Amino acid sequence: MYNEIELNLPKPPSLNQFYAGKHFAIRQKYKKEYFEALEKAFENYGEFFAETFNIDVYHNSRYDTDNCILAVKFTADYLRHRGWVKDDTKKYFKKLSIRVDENMDKAIFKVNIKLYGYKEM
């Protein structure tokens, strides 16, 4: 049994863009901007805690699918940052997937989070 949250998020930077010789401060800026988008996306959700979680990402961007991993990374980091999960290590973060959906808007990334052992706070 799990609770599922579906978010429509903006396109994150690609993994290539994130690491292509950029200074650490620029990478922090990208993460901060995505955290702001996540904050807005979670506005209608109350506080919760989940024992374990999975993240599935759907996109139709021009990125190579493996370059979309920052949508997963930033979402997992955000869940940990908010204290909604204990950590994003393999003990708690059990599965991820990234899939292409050619019917989607190219600027949107759909992020589904499955939360196991979910408790509202």
Side-chain angles (χ1 to χ4, degrees), residues 44-94:
N44 296 324
Y45 293 92
E47 296 295 315
F48 63 86
F49 182 78
E51 303 215 359
T52 62
F53 65 102
N54 300 340
I55 297 176
D56 300 305
V57 172
Y58 301 84
H59 76 99
N60 189 27
S61 70
R62 297 180 79 181
Y63 295 165
D64 294 342
T65 299
D66 59 336
N67 281 324
C68 298
I69 194 68
L70 289 179
V72 175
K73 172 72 175 142
F74 290 160
T75 301
D77 286 353
Y78 183 79
L79 292 172
R80 184 181 45 80
H81 167 77
R82 289 295 304 258
W84 292 339
V85 297
K86 186 169 183 170
D87 205 349
D88 57 356
T89 61
K90 66 183 180 179
K91 183 176 179 180
Y92 306 100
F93 187 0
K94 296 296 187 178

Side-chain angles (χ1 to χ4, degrees), residues 3-18:
N3 193 27
E4 188 167 358
I5 294 175
E6 182 177 302
L7 306 172
N8 288 319
L9 296 168
K11 183 169 67 171
S14 76
L15 187 63
N16 288 342
Q17 181 183 7
F18 191 70

